[in-house]
Amino acid sequence: MSRLRDIGPDIRLLSVPYDGWRRLSSNVILLGETPLHLDCMPLLRSASTEPTGLESTIIDLGAGRPADFERAGDAVRGKVVLVRHEYPFAPDHVHRRRKYDMALAQDSIAFLIANPVPNAGPLSGSSGRPHDGAGIPAAYIDYEGAVALSAQRNARVRLNIQGEELRDSMANVGMLDLPGGRDSRIVISAHMDGHNLGQSALDNATGVSVALAAARILASRLGPDTPGLRICFFTAEEWALAGSARYLADMSQPERSALKLNLTSSPP
């Protein structure tokens, strides 16, 4: 907030509720004569398994693109789907949550997504599951775990994920308003929260830096013939965009109508 205050005095800090979640425990075990514990990280808001876990056969769908799910068809039902993470800013990538949703739609009982980079551990990300919505247990695994699963025909795994719902959690929205000569506002937004494992340095610390730089440059250019500028820094965005969605839902209609364009500072 101090960085925003250096640009202009009209600073607000709002709190918006959202449905939180936290991991209690998790493990993925490749079954066999010598069970192998795989390095794993549950997806944010993963559905929990039964306390005793679940056990089923892996179906490896490679990258996990729509064509892969289409080819597999009914074979997905009742299986644990294994797919690969893709670099999220490539033009042809398929997002993790879309892969998860396809597994859910085809009646998979669990979802594993592997880091495609060797010796880099699992990644982290959200399932996008609402607190009262349908979902399946889901976790990231590392590259080496995916290799071990793929090397074994009809590999079976035991998956145990336990999570806790945290209703009525609160997320902050930091906001700077810079007036222009019109009632309308252009919004530049970014988010302050991020996943662990160092990913937040890219998503979205880079976006926060861009938004701050843009505000500094544009502040002196606002005048009687320009709309105003609003800088919004959200939290709880990695929770399926919960922070900004609730902020917008609680906004009055006249204020919402004054927002003409939102530029989101996303990772490069």
Side-chain angles (χ1 to χ4, degrees):
M1 296 298 289
S2 62
R3 299 293 179 88
L4 290 176
R5 194 170 288 109
D6 291 341
I7 301 169
D10 190 0
I11 302 290
R12 283 180 283 167
L13 181 64
L14 309 177
S15 291
V16 297
Y18 73 102
D19 295 312
W21 178 91
R22 69 178 175 184
R23 176 186 68 166
L24 299 177
S25 63
S26 60
N27 59 70
V28 179
I29 303 173
L30 171 58
L31 301 175
E33 290 185 10
T34 305
L36 177 64
H37 287 254
L38 308 183
D39 197 1
C40 72
M41 173 69 68
L43 268 62
L44 193 65
R45 298 207 59 81
S46 167
S48 293
T49 62
E50 294 295 329
T52 54
L54 66 82
E55 182 179 322
S56 188
T57 304
I58 287 286
I59 180 168
D60 187 345
L61 297 187
R65 298 190 168 198
D68 299 318
F69 278 91
E70 185 176 351
R71 278 192 298 270
D74 289 342
V76 172
R77 184 174 292 115
K79 305 284 181 47
V80 177
V81 164
L82 171 63
V83 301
R84 274 69 179 175
H85 177 87
E86 298 179 69
Y87 178 67
F89 310 111
D92 60 347
H93 95 286
V94 177
H95 194 273
R96 167 193 67 253
R97 281 172 53 191
R98 188 176 176 200
K99 300 179 186 195
Y100 170 89
D101 287 344
M102 289 187 288
L104 178 62
Q106 290 182 219
D107 296 325
S108 169
I109 64 168
F111 176 82
L112 297 177
I113 179 167
N115 188 345
V117 179
N119 303 312
L123 298 169
S124 64
S126 171
S127 69
R129 182 184 68 88
H131 80 271
D132 55 354
I136 53 178
Y140 267 108
I141 61 173
D142 61 6
Y143 173 89
E144 290 73 22
V147 170
L149 293 175
S150 299
Q152 206 177 100
R153 183 177 176 82
N154 296 321
R156 292 186 65 83
V157 294
R158 181 178 297 122
L159 174 66
N160 193 315
I161 295 176
Q162 300 300 315
E164 179 183 12
E165 303 287 345
L166 301 173
R167 308 287 177 84
D168 301 322
S169 299
M170 300 300 291
N172 292 327
V173 180
M175 183 165 37
L176 166 66
D177 266 316
L178 298 170
R182 307 177 194 170
D183 292 336
S184 57
R185 289 282 189 276
I186 304 297
V187 180
I188 300 177
S189 63
H191 65 91
M192 302 289 289
D193 63 316
H195 294 294
N196 56 1
L197 307 177
Q199 293 180 48
S200 55
L202 176 65
D203 181 11
N204 193 26
T206 55
V208 171
S209 298
V210 168
L212 285 170
R216 294 189 188 102
I217 293 168
L218 294 174
S220 63
R221 298 171 183 256
L222 302 178
D225 297 323
T226 71
L229 179 65
R230 175 172 293 177
I231 307 297
C232 281
F233 289 149
F234 296 108
T235 56
E237 286 302 277
E238 297 294 4
W239 303 74
L241 310 180
S244 58
R246 185 57 185 260
Y247 162 73
L248 187 61
D250 288 349
M251 187 181 293
S252 69
Q253 188 57 49
E255 185 177 7
R256 186 185 297 193
S257 297
L259 304 180
K260 300 304 181 183
L261 178 66
N262 178 56
L263 303 173
T264 300
S265 299
S266 298

